[in-house]
Amino acid sequence: MASTALSNVVVPEVFDRYTRQQTTLKSALLNSAVLVGASNFDALAASESTVVTLPHFNPFAWVESDLMNDDSAVKGGTAAVTAAAQVAQKDYRAKAWSAMELTSAVIGEDVPAYIANIAATYWTQDIQQNVLAKLKGIEVANVANNGGDMVVNVATDATGTATAAQSVTINTILDACQTMGDSADKLGVIVMHSQVFTNLMKLEPHAFQAPSETQPFTTYYRKRVVIDDTGLVVQGTNRKTFTTYILGQGAFAYGEAAFGRGTTVVYDDHSGNNAGEEKLITRKQLLIHPQGFTCAAAITSPAKSPSLAQYSAAGAFTRVFERKNVPIAILKTNA
């Protein structure tokens, strides 16, 4: 069978647009608006600077409104509104595939759509891992700097089997949500390890709603469920500790732009001992920033942006919003 030339089927502008559409459809975090995309975020992602600022107004505490009177000598006061800014670091990411990897399995397929689907699936996973790494960094910073007011930790590393109090249940999830106080209703997405999902299914099978045409993701008590086994479990000396994130709409700002030439198809004449090989290269400038934080993760030269490990490290994030204005809650359990 004749091979498929990528240069004949991939139109970069169309490919990039279709891939982004498919990434949005596939991603529970984008689809549920945990990651909020907007044209101004795309513009920031496209800017030349590796660091951007996101200005905001600071909230002020409620005080009772003034009691008006008819005494002209009594002058009313005014409430001060102050502004500040978050600092966000952009991500510069690329992924390449060979023609053989992309087209070897295609028989009677819509080749451009097939290839774009592979790319969209990859970038969906990559963006999700980016978010999880930043959530880990936020957790570390919150425990160190804010008294752990976003975290409920019922896990231990004791010997023996985990008790119900140390396991995920609707009660421990509600306790984590309560860290948001009267803003807990902002939380609508749960990111959990597959073992935690299985444990909840055993406890409350009827609390889950399967995906449907109108609701493409599984829900638990009307909260969307995202299952990911990467980085959500740590093996201790005696027990595993699982991390579950409960997120709300707008937890992250999301912007996307092509880097340099964007998507390109290149031919390497010398590959395969001069047999030649065609490659598809996708490049992105991304803004994936947790709202309410300033980011100052380390960067190892010559990279243009931090690695996922550097986003997860201590000191990467500093919270600049009040607790209730950050729709992120974190639960640590043994099962």
Side-chain angles (χ1 to χ4, degrees):
M1 182 179 68
S3 62
T4 302
L6 293 178
S7 56
N8 292 336
V9 298
V10 174
V11 179
E13 296 81 3
V14 177
F15 180 89
D16 285 344
R17 185 167 59 250
Y18 183 78
T19 300
R20 182 167 184 176
Q21 290 171 348
Q22 290 301 307
T23 300
T24 301
L25 289 174
K26 291 173 179 288
S27 171
L29 298 180
L30 280 167
N31 196 273
S32 62
V34 167
L35 274 68
V36 174
S39 58
N40 60 314
F41 294 148
D42 288 344
L44 289 171
S47 65
E48 293 184 3
S49 175
T50 60
V51 175
V52 297
T53 57
L54 303 174
H56 64 267
F57 289 108
N58 292 319
F60 54 90
W62 175 86
V63 294
E64 184 179 352
S65 54
D66 298 329
L67 289 172
M68 294 186 293
N69 59 54
D70 56 5
D71 185 349
S72 61
V74 178
K75 306 299 182 183
T78 57
V81 178
T82 60
Q86 306 166 63
V87 177
Q89 290 175 285
K90 291 176 3 187
D91 290 290
Y92 297 84
R93 296 280 172 170
K95 180 64 178 176
W97 292 270
S98 70
M100 183 176 295
E101 290 173 319
L102 292 172
T103 64
S104 60
V106 182
I107 301 176
E109 296 274 358
D110 180 346
V111 177
Y114 174 85
I115 295 172
N117 186 64
I118 291 176
T121 299
Y122 172 81
W123 284 113
T124 297
Q125 295 170 342
D126 195 71
I127 290 167
Q128 185 159 302
Q129 293 310 311
N130 188 299
V131 169
L132 291 177
K134 290 171 181 175
L135 286 170
K136 177 60 178 176
I138 288 169
E139 176 191 338
V140 173
N142 182 250
V143 172
N145 303 322
N146 306 108
D149 61 1
M150 299 168 64
V151 182
V152 169
N153 187 353
V154 297
T156 75
D157 197 28
T159 58
T161 304
T163 65
Q166 297 160 343
S167 305
V168 65
T169 63
I170 185 58
N171 292 331
T172 52
I173 289 173
L174 288 174
D175 287 341
C177 291
Q178 181 57 35
T179 64
M180 287 281 290
D182 57 10
S183 296
D185 59 349
K186 295 179 181 178
L187 303 174
V189 176
I190 305 179
V191 183
M192 64 180 73
H193 189 278
S194 62
Q195 185 61 64
V196 172
F197 174 78
T198 298
N199 293 346
L200 278 176
M201 283 285 288
K202 291 178 180 178
L203 288 172
E204 298 182 288
H206 301 298
F208 288 86
Q209 183 175 342
S212 66
E213 290 185 5
T214 56
Q215 174 62 55
F217 301 101
T218 299
T219 60
Y220 174 72
Y221 284 106
R222 297 186 297 279
K223 297 185 188 300
R224 291 191 179 189
V225 174
V226 179
I227 301 172
D228 197 309
D229 285 350
T230 305
L232 295 183
V233 61
V234 175
Q235 177 65 60
T237 301
N238 300 301
R239 292 183 180 179
K240 294 177 179 179
T241 295
F242 295 92
T243 301
T244 299
Y245 296 109
I246 311 164
L247 311 173
Q249 290 188 352
F252 284 77
Y254 179 78
E256 180 179 328
F259 174 79
R261 295 168 60 195
T263 295
T264 57
V265 177
V266 298
Y267 196 86
D268 182 358
D269 278 312
H270 299 291
S271 182
N273 199 20
N274 295 327
E277 181 183 31
E278 202 171 28
K279 297 178 181 179
L280 172 71
I281 304 174
T282 59
R283 306 176 182 89
K284 294 180 183 290
Q285 290 183 191
L286 298 169
L287 174 68
I288 306 174
H289 181 69
Q291 297 277 27
F293 293 87
T294 281
C295 184
I299 300 175
T300 302
S301 182
K304 293 174 66 67
S305 56
S307 67
L308 298 188
Q310 287 168 325
Y311 280 128
S312 300
F317 293 95
T318 301
R319 197 173 79 199
V320 296
F321 280 11
E322 293 180 355
R323 169 67 190 105
K324 292 183 180 181
N325 293 325
V326 179
I328 298 172
I330 302 166
L331 174 62
K332 314 283 283 187
T333 60
N334 289 127

